[in-house]
Amino acid sequence: MDEPTASPVVGRPRWMKDTESAKCIGCNSQFSTFVRRHHCRCCGDLFCSSCTSRVVSLPQLKYSEPVRVCNCCFDITLIRNKISPYFNQNALPPDVPQAVIQQIPKMISELSSDVHNQRKIVQQGLLPVMVALIVHPTIPIASLALVTKALVALSSNPDTQQEVGGELELLVSLLQHESPPIQCNSCAAIALLATNERIQDQVLMKVLNPLLQLLMCSANKDVQISIGMAILSLSLHPLFLERGGLSPFITLAMSGDTRLQELSLRLVENLSQSAAEFHENFLSGGGLHPFLELLSSLDTDVRLHSLRVLNQRIVKTREICEKLLEEGVLRHVTVLMSFDGTADSLLLEILKLIFNLVQHEEFKLPISGNFKLNSS
């Protein structure tokens, strides 16, 4: 047999050398005298005989007779054969049989759940098929959820993130979908793509404003949390504060939901590390009042987390300390100290806060009169 060429689609793929893998790519079995190596004729990877037991013809690779392939490539070929009569110029016509519209998403979702399959899904041309299914007017919600779930899986893999990143406009359109699970899947994909340094600028520019708009209008808690996670991922970008301001933090902090409040605090932690102008923006952008509201949260963990963030990230300048005192931070602290059973960890953070304030300003201690304190 001729040595395969390099291209995985228009030509035969490069075969892995026997020395490149001591184990089966599919089941992780150790190769030995009794467990022999076999090449998948479609992808060129090494497998045991059990993982290459199926055969199929591959005319695109000039295999007119059935040849040995791995399970993943067999399933991808089956999907391509099912969809090819209808798939033309990266689109599907409106009259595609519903059996096809419902079967293909399930098969793609199952394939994408295995990290070893994700690169092959993209390399062998299934991403355009997924896009065509997502935009098809007759796709059922359940099938759409499966395809978008597969899109999330591909977004988690560094080897396929850039290709999925080419579909950012599609992800933005899915944010406006009527189904919360679809919106959540879109947010999850965006959060994962934002971690890729090669495309994070593009992700920030295209999706931040749509995310903020959805955060302001969505009443679904699961969607809000998914948006918060996507925003949290985007907030590591140095230009996030310039483009998004503090409105995401304020919206999450004032939500009244414990999970969203925790996300708001994690957002402040990210911003204070990635944006040099954070402290100035924190004051001018109205971040102080929502933060004081977090100190009064009914949830102990939120109160403790907010005190820690306050001490570690915010109380860094004289201006912030003065503003905290003007806004009555000590009143909030006194209320915290009055709770029965206040944890030692909470009391410790309160003492740290008082000490940090002392470094910058004299103040009135409301629990026992007026005191003039200094760092000495």
Side-chain angles (χ1 to χ4, degrees):
M1 184 179 294
D2 294 337
E3 182 69 18
T5 56
S7 171
V9 177
V10 298
R12 293 181 181 177
R14 170 191 172 274
W15 281 15
M16 290 181 69
K17 296 179 181 179
D18 287 357
T19 55
E20 288 185 58
S21 181
K23 295 181 180 181
C24 170
I25 300 296
C27 68
N28 214 34
S29 295
Q30 186 80 33
F31 292 128
S32 66
T33 303
F34 304 102
V35 181
R36 305 296 299 276
R37 291 174 172 83
H38 297 273
H39 285 95
C40 169
R41 268 50 175 181
C42 187
C43 68
D45 289 345
L46 286 168
F47 299 88
C48 67
S49 60
S50 297
C51 291
T52 51
S53 61
R54 297 194 281 186
V55 296
V56 68
S57 60
L58 301 168
Q60 76 276 17
L61 301 181
K62 300 180 181 179
Y63 289 117
S64 56
E65 298 295 324
V67 290
R68 184 188 293 268
V69 294
C70 67
N71 293 328
C72 175
C73 288
F74 181 88
D75 290 336
I76 289 177
T77 302
L78 184 61
I79 291 172
R80 291 167 62 94
N81 290 342
K82 281 180 176 289
I83 204 74
S84 60
Y86 315 101
F87 192 62
N88 184 35
Q89 296 183 340
N90 290 342
L92 293 168
D95 58 348
V96 178
Q98 275 298 298
V100 174
I101 291 290
Q102 294 179 26
Q103 289 172 3
I104 301 302
K106 183 177 181 181
M107 296 173 69
I108 291 176
S109 179
E110 291 174 352
L111 270 177
S112 67
S113 64
D114 188 332
V115 67
H116 298 296
N117 299 337
Q118 292 164 3
R119 175 174 53 86
K120 296 178 185 179
I121 288 174
V122 172
Q123 286 182 337
Q124 297 184 33
L126 286 193
L127 184 56
V129 173
M130 294 168 63
V131 173
L133 286 167
I134 288 172
V135 301
H136 197 272
T138 69
I139 186 170
I141 294 294
S143 299
L144 181 58
L146 289 173
V147 183
T148 53
K149 181 181 178 182
L151 209 57
V152 174
L154 296 182
S155 300
S156 69
N157 191 326
D159 292 335
T160 55
Q161 284 177 331
Q162 283 188 266
E163 287 80 2
V164 180
E167 305 298 336
L168 284 175
E169 291 183 3
L170 176 65
L171 291 173
V172 169
S173 69
L174 290 174
L175 292 176
Q176 307 303 321
H177 198 276
E178 61 184 10
S179 170
I182 306 301
Q183 293 176 312
C184 290
N185 284 345
S186 179
C187 289
I190 289 169
L192 292 163
L193 295 176
T195 64
N196 188 306
E197 292 183 357
R198 294 183 179 181
I199 59 174
Q200 63 179 188
D201 290 349
Q202 181 184 359
V203 176
L204 182 71
M205 287 188 294
K206 289 191 175 182
V207 308
L208 180 56
N209 285 337
L211 280 173
L212 296 179
Q213 291 170 9
L214 183 58
L215 180 62
M216 296 297 292
C217 67
S218 177
N220 185 286
K221 291 300 181 185
D222 290 333
V223 173
Q224 290 176 340
I225 290 170
S226 296
I227 297 169
M229 293 300 296
I231 289 174
L232 196 63
S233 186
L234 288 168
S235 68
L236 293 171
H237 194 289
L239 294 180
F240 178 90
L241 195 59
E242 176 184 325
R243 294 183 179 275
L246 285 176
S247 61
F249 161 71
I250 294 171
T251 302
L252 293 170
M254 300 298 287
S255 65
D257 183 271
T258 300
R259 297 171 297 175
L260 296 176
Q261 289 175 335
E262 283 287 353
L263 284 175
S264 75
L265 291 166
R266 291 171 61 188
L267 180 60
V268 169
E269 290 175 318
N270 282 355
L271 293 177
S272 64
Q273 294 180 72
S274 62
E277 68 278 13
F278 167 74
H279 291 98
E280 180 181 344
N281 278 270
F282 189 77
L283 285 177
S284 62
L288 203 55
H289 176 69
F291 206 97
L292 292 177
E293 290 298 315
L294 292 175
L295 288 177
S296 303
S297 172
L298 297 177
D299 185 86
T300 303
D301 291 336
V302 171
R303 294 198 300 268
L304 179 58
H305 193 180
S306 61
L307 277 169
R308 284 175 175 165
V309 173
L310 196 60
N311 283 322
Q312 296 171 10
R313 305 293 183 188
I314 296 178
V315 185
K316 298 297 182 181
T317 68
R318 182 183 183 88
E319 290 74 20
I320 287 181
C321 290
E322 290 175 346
K323 194 64 177 177
L324 280 169
L325 293 168
E326 289 176 13
E327 294 291 331
V329 66
L330 294 177
R331 183 178 66 255
H332 292 271
V333 167
T334 304
V335 171
L336 292 180
M337 295 177 67
S338 68
F339 289 160
D340 291 336
T342 301
D344 290 344
S345 55
L346 197 65
L347 290 173
L348 178 61
E349 292 299 329
I350 291 172
L351 291 174
K352 286 181 180 178
L353 175 60
I354 293 174
F355 179 78
N356 287 331
L357 291 171
V358 169
Q359 307 306 301
H360 296 284
E361 185 63 82
E362 62 181 38
F363 60 92
K364 295 180 180 180
L365 198 61
I367 54 175
S368 58
N370 296 343
F371 288 81
K372 184 174 181 179
L373 303 180
N374 55 59
S375 57
S376 61

